């Protein structure tokens, strides 16, 4: 019987806004689990998720509940480099996706992954048009100026491409003309879910963590920016422990004690799109060192080791995504 062809995508990765006034900070980028659009065939029976600043590991068990094989194109979209964000990318580094080291197995066997790049304007694929023009998909260079291929255009050609919608005249009177398309990168593979069979899929990768030297946890900052604490469900017990550690590390005459914040994000909400809820869900968050502090928005958290915290659910339907905050201090010499 022919396979049913459907499309799966890994949940779109989202860049988180930087907390205000964080020092030397870099935004976290949330990665997530497989998302199946309008699916009534495949259930997610189990998700076992491990999160740390150095590695994310997740093991899924899926069952095809139908009498036919289901062949799918699995796509892991990396955060798009958006044309409207050029002002931001002008003064900070672009994400280095080569550090993901993304690996996948199906029933214990490694699978081959492909990388696909495309250009989109408002969700419309314009990659073929750029190829015809000889223009690259990736155009943001972190410098904020016109790309070389735009600078080389004569005025009449430049005006025609603005009318076509591929370029835009920047406001502000500096005369810059910049591309309009977003650069979108996908890691893809094809997979068959056999009829009435359960398949085990694992992913592991190095998370794109964010962080800052200092941040929103000091008493004056936590009062000025309470939204930071709300994002990570930081409670009074966490603040009390943080204040004790700061006091213990403060030397005589020292006003500030240096600490670091690490932000890790994971897209959980994609689990809502499978057939039924997630049958069994287990989350383990590892804070790194015993002296570190960790906070995230989950109830029923159980400490299972000096550094690890566990959450278990049955028939779990995630209502949101997961943000993890780790506070750490430099080790004493």
């Amino acid at each position: 019987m022919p396979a049913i062809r459907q499309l799966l995508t890994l949940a779109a990765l989202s860049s988180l806004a930087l907390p205000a006034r964080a020092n030397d900070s870099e935004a976290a980028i949330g990665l997530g689990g497989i998302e199946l659009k309008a699916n009534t065939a495949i259930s997610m029976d189990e998700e076992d998720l491990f999160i740390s600043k150095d590695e994310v590991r997740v093991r899924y068990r899926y069952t095809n509940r139908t009498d036919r094989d289901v062949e799918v194109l699995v796509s892991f979209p990396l955060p798009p480099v958006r044309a409207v964000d050029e002002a931001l990318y002008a003064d900070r580094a672009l994400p280095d996706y080569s550090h993901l080291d993304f690996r996948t197995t199906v029933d214990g066997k490694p699978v081959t992954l492909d990388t696909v790049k495309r250009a989109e304007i408002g969700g419309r694929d314009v990659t073929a048009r750029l190829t015809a023009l000889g223009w690259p998909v990736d155009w943001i260079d972190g410098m904020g100026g016109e790309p070389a291929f735009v600078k080389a255009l004569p005025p009449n050609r430049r005006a025609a491409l603005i009318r076509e919608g591929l370029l835009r005249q920047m406001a502000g009177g500096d005369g810059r003309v910049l591309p309009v398309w977003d650069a979108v990168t996908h890691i893809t593979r094809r997979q068959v879910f056999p009829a009435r069979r359960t398949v085990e899929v694992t992913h592991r990768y190095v998370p794109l963590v964010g962080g800052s030297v200092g941040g929103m946890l000091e008493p004056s900052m936590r009062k000025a920016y309470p939204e930071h604490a709300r994002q990570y469900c930081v409670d009074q017990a966490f603040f009390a422990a943080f204040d004790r550690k700061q006091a213990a590390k403060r030397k005589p005459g020292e006003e500030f004690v240096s600490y670091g914040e690490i932000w890790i994000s994971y897209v959980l909400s994609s689990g809502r799109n499978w057939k039924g809820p997630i049958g069994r869900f287990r989350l383990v968050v590892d804070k790194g060192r015993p002296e570190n502090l960790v906070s995230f928005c989950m109830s029923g958290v159980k400490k299972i080791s000096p550094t690890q915290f566990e959450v278990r659910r049955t028939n779990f339907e995630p209502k949101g995504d997961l943000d993890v905050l780790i506070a750490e201090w430099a080790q004493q010499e």
Side-chain angles (χ1 to χ4, degrees):
M1 186 172 293
I4 303 171
R5 295 183 179 270
Q6 297 182 348
L7 174 66
L8 293 85
T9 74
L10 282 170
L13 309 178
S14 55
S15 295
L16 301 180
L18 292 174
R21 300 188 182 177
N23 297 323
D24 299 328
S25 56
E26 180 70 25
I29 299 177
L31 287 77
I34 296 175
E35 177 179 305
L36 181 57
K37 299 293 188 182
N39 174 260
T40 59
I42 300 171
S43 64
M44 185 189 294
D45 303 331
E46 186 174 346
E47 178 177 357
D48 195 336
L49 173 62
F50 172 87
I51 294 178
S52 73
K53 71 173 184 177
D54 298 315
E55 184 180 49
V56 170
R57 301 191 303 267
V58 60
R59 178 177 59 84
Y60 301 101
R61 289 177 65 82
Y62 302 107
T63 300
N64 178 358
R65 303 290 175 177
T66 71
D67 294 324
R68 293 178 291 179
D69 292 352
V70 177
E71 182 181 355
V72 299
L73 175 65
V74 180
S75 175
F76 185 87
L78 301 178
V81 179
R82 299 193 183 279
V84 296
D85 293 337
E86 167 63 9
L88 296 177
Y89 287 108
D91 60 9
R92 64 183 175 95
L94 298 174
D96 187 353
Y97 298 139
S98 66
H99 293 164
L100 279 173
D101 191 23
F102 194 82
R103 287 168 284 168
T104 296
T105 68
V106 177
D107 287 335
K109 298 178 181 179
V111 298
T112 300
L113 304 174
D114 296 317
T115 300
V116 177
K117 287 182 177 289
R118 70 171 187 250
E120 295 182 359
I121 299 176
R124 177 173 57 93
D125 192 333
V126 296
T127 310
R129 176 63 173 136
L130 298 189
T131 300
L133 290 168
W135 289 357
V137 171
D138 293 320
W139 62 271
I140 293 180
D141 60 7
M143 303 300 291
E146 286 185 350
F149 60 86
V150 174
K151 288 182 179 179
L153 293 171
N156 61 336
R157 184 65 175 148
R158 178 180 296 215
L161 290 164
I162 291 174
R163 290 193 299 272
E164 184 179 340
L166 290 177
L167 304 176
R168 73 188 189 280
Q169 180 80 51
M170 297 295 288
D174 60 5
R176 284 187 305 156
V177 172
L178 296 180
V180 172
W181 63 87
D182 303 332
V184 182
T185 304
H186 292 256
I187 300 173
T188 67
R189 76 178 193 276
R190 300 205 70 87
Q191 181 174 329
V192 174
F193 290 83
R196 299 294 177 186
R197 287 264 312 274
T198 298
V199 174
E200 183 172 285
V201 179
T202 70
H203 304 300
R204 60 172 51 195
Y205 53 83
V206 178
L208 299 174
V209 303
S212 69
V213 178
M216 303 291 107
L217 299 179
E218 292 284 0
S220 61
M221 300 296 283
R222 72 181 71 151
K223 292 178 181 178
Y225 303 99
E227 64 276 6
H228 187 59
R230 286 196 297 269
Q231 179 177 349
Y232 300 100
C233 292
V234 178
D235 58 16
Q236 291 306 310
F238 182 104
F239 281 134
F242 175 85
D243 292 342
R244 288 194 300 271
K245 287 182 178 290
Q246 289 288 82
K249 293 178 177 293
R250 186 173 292 111
K251 298 176 182 178
E254 188 176 46
E255 185 177 357
F256 298 104
V257 176
S258 177
Y259 79 96
E261 291 186 26
I262 296 167
W263 310 318
I264 310 170
S265 297
Y266 187 88
V267 179
L268 276 177
S269 54
S270 58
R272 295 195 302 263
N273 297 302
W274 294 88
K275 178 180 174 62
I278 302 171
R280 294 179 300 278
F281 173 79
R282 179 176 183 253
L283 166 68
V284 173
V285 176
D286 193 318
K287 65 179 180 178
R289 298 199 304 265
E291 60 268 27
N292 292 349
L293 298 176
V294 64
S295 186
F296 54 94
C297 296
M298 278 274 187
S299 61
V301 179
K302 178 182 177 182
K303 188 173 184 178
I304 60 173
S305 84
T307 66
Q308 294 185 355
F309 300 81
E310 179 189 65
V311 175
R312 289 181 181 266
R313 297 280 192 274
T314 57
N315 296 323
F316 179 50
E317 295 189 67
K319 293 181 171 57
D321 299 322
L322 181 65
D323 294 323
V324 177
L325 166 67
I326 299 172
E328 64 176 9
W329 289 261
Q331 291 182 295
Q332 300 294 327
E333 297 294 336

